[in-house]
Amino acid sequence: DLQQAQKELLKSVSFHTFYMAIKDATTNENAKNAAFVHVYDIAEYAEMRCYLSPNRDYGYAIKDGDIVSVFKNPNSSVKSVMDAIMKSALDNGGYKLDCFDGYLPKQYKKYGFVEYDRMSWNDEYAPTNWHYERDGRPDVVFMALTSANEATA
């Protein structure tokens, strides 16, 4: 079906196109989880490989093997995009990532990622729009593909 076909087609895009899409998704009034997504300065994306869905509703970037800025626009009608994002990211050389503890590490484990380090929360480095009451102060979890652990430890 069309929705499944769209999920398979994350394509390499310019850093500018990626930046516009992620900014739209994370500044959207419905983006209640936007603080969980690190949005780099546009110039930093110029040094990364950036990938988006055809409708620009979801995507990710790769920075030296690190899968970063994984996002989905909250207004997107497409459901369950993680499989498509992770398949694409792995196919394009992504092998490590970091995320806040809680929901995401459990999701990334499904794709072969294991925790190799963690860092305690530090208010000084908190995202500016962090929702302390709802989201607490989770650790930052560093994960890598099982086969890549030796390279990252």
Side-chain angles (χ1 to χ4, degrees), residues 36 99-107 118 138-139 141:
F36 284 82
C99 58
F100 292 111
D101 201 6
Y103 175 78
L104 287 171
K106 294 179 192 90
Q107 296 305 306
R118 68 173 46 225
D139 287 352
V141 178

Side-chain angles (χ1 to χ4, degrees), residues 41-100:
D41 291 330
I42 189 168
E44 293 177 273
Y45 286 118
E47 304 299 318
M48 302 180 202
R49 292 179 289 137
C50 303
Y51 300 86
L52 285 176
S53 63
N55 58 8
R56 299 180 181 175
D57 277 359
Y58 54 92
Y60 66 93
I62 295 181
K63 175 185 177 182
D64 300 321
D66 209 354
I67 303 166
V68 299
S69 298
V70 175
F71 79 95
K72 177 184 167 203
N73 191 306
N75 291 338
S76 174
S77 62
V78 181
K79 305 290 182 219
S80 307
V81 300
M82 190 65 100
D83 283 349
I85 288 173
M86 294 310 296
K87 179 184 183 315
S88 177
L90 296 175
D91 287 350
N92 286 298
Y95 66 89
K96 59 183 177 169
L97 53 84
D98 62 78
C99 58
F100 292 111

Side-chain angles (χ1 to χ4, degrees), residues 18 20 36 45 56 71 76 97 103 122 125 127 131 133 146-147:
F18 182 83
M20 298 306 284
F36 284 82
Y45 286 118
R56 299 180 181 175
F71 79 95
S76 174
L97 53 84
Y103 175 78
N122 182 334
Y125 299 108
H131 193 298
E133 190 173 306
T146 309
S147 59

